[in-house]
Amino acid sequence: MRLLLVEDDRALGQGIRVALGSEGYTLDWLQDGVSALHALRSESFDLLLLDLGLPRLDGLALLQRLRGEQLDLPVLILTARDGTAERIAGLDAGADDYLIKPFDVDELKARIRALLRRSQGRAQPVLEHAGVCLDPVTQQVSWHGNEVVVTPMEYQLLHQLLARPGKVVTRERLSRALYGWQERVESNTLEVLIHNLRKKLSTELIRTVRGVGYVLELKA
Ligand code: CA
């Protein structure tokens, strides 16, 4: 799951990054509304954590632009205690939920889980090709009907490939979906994940396209 945090308070941003780091999410963090709008238009995220008071383009205006452009990812607003009016405006503009600062990180995690569950149940059908079945709601994977235990990273990778069966998915796209814009990604990390998936599922299933990326075979 790739989350985008838009928050200009550095201490709070760092705190959220640390808190969510242990949950297996990929978290990208931007500090102004204009950069966030560009990112949301060009990349795909599963959830947006949005502060309302932001430089360059405030959170409410950003949210209105998003919804105007039919970008319908779940949005959780982070707002100040005295901001009742802007909270209501945020919900009216299409936010799915809000949290009042300062908030408890466990509550933040619970709200995120609930929003992701809701959006996945709504938008994502079971993906099934060549004997592999992946259920985004339960996050379970099976191979010819037998459940296969995969790590969160292996799951994300398989999800990316299963969403485009028979098509080459580039290394760049895969590492962005898995790690966001994080700079320090070991160069062989993708290979290790692919190796593990081949071992757990089938060696025939995922084909390497040298120098480009990977393809999930239609028949394996
Ligand atoms: Ca702010």
Side-chain angles (χ1 to χ4, degrees):
M1 292 286 131
R2 187 179 180 194
L3 279 46
L4 179 63
L5 167 67
V6 192
E7 170 61 74
D8 61 329
D9 180 324
R10 296 191 67 90
L12 182 58
Q14 284 292 2
I16 292 174
R17 173 174 268 180
V18 170
L20 295 182
S22 58
E23 299 295 293
Y25 301 124
T26 299
L27 182 75
D28 287 311
W29 175 21
L30 294 172
Q31 300 181 29
D32 73 86
V34 172
S35 314
L37 187 61
H38 288 310
L40 288 157
R41 280 174 177 158
S42 57
E43 313 242 344
S44 111
F45 295 94
D46 299 294
L47 183 134
L48 172 63
L49 297 169
L50 182 65
D51 175 33
L52 290 181
L54 289 170
R56 296 178 79 199
L57 177 68
D58 73 55
L60 194 57
L62 171 63
L63 186 55
Q64 285 162 343
R65 299 275 277 274
L66 286 187
R67 296 315 194 205
E69 294 175 23
Q70 318 294 328
L71 287 165
D72 66 348
L73 78 172
V75 178
L76 175 60
I77 292 179
L78 310 173
T79 132
R81 185 168 298 280
D82 55 1
T84 312
E86 60 175 17
R87 203 149 63 228
I88 293 169
L91 291 170
D92 282 343
D96 297 274
D97 200 357
Y98 65 85
L99 260 181
I100 296 172
K101 298 175 189 175
F103 46 78
D104 185 286
V105 291
D106 288 329
E107 185 171 7
L108 174 66
K109 291 175 189 174
R111 300 282 181 102
I112 289 173
R113 281 196 300 272
L115 284 177
L116 289 174
R117 257 200 316 272
R118 231 189 291 160
S119 73
Q120 284 165 5
R122 187 175 64 221
Q124 298 187 25
V126 168
L127 300 174
E128 191 165 14
H129 287 281
V132 193
C133 181
L134 179 149
D135 185 340
V137 178
T138 60
Q139 306 230 329
Q140 279 178 331
V141 172
S142 64
W143 172 245
H144 290 292
N146 299 314
E147 196 184 325
V148 177
V149 178
V150 294
T151 66
M153 285 305 220
E154 290 162 7
Y155 175 89
Q156 293 303 335
L157 179 51
L158 187 61
H159 194 183
Q160 290 291 321
L161 294 171
L162 264 173
R164 299 164 196 82
K167 299 207 169 79
V168 181
V169 185
T170 62
R171 296 180 54 89
E172 193 193 355
R173 185 185 183 116
L174 290 172
S175 36
R176 213 111 51 105
L178 263 59
Y179 305 105
W181 299 309
Q182 202 178 292
E183 278 159 26
R184 281 186 312 244
V185 178
E186 298 290 325
S187 59
N188 66 346
T189 316
L190 267 183
E191 279 77 8
V192 173
L193 293 172
I194 293 279
H195 171 80
N196 293 345
L197 282 175
R198 283 176 174 150
K199 225 162 68 182
K200 290 179 181 183
L201 301 164
S202 155
T203 51
E204 313 289 300
L205 185 68
I206 302 166
R207 181 162 53 86
T208 305
V209 181
R210 209 163 287 283
V212 183
Y214 298 94
V215 187
L216 186 99
E217 297 286 14
L218 291 175
K219 283 185 189 139

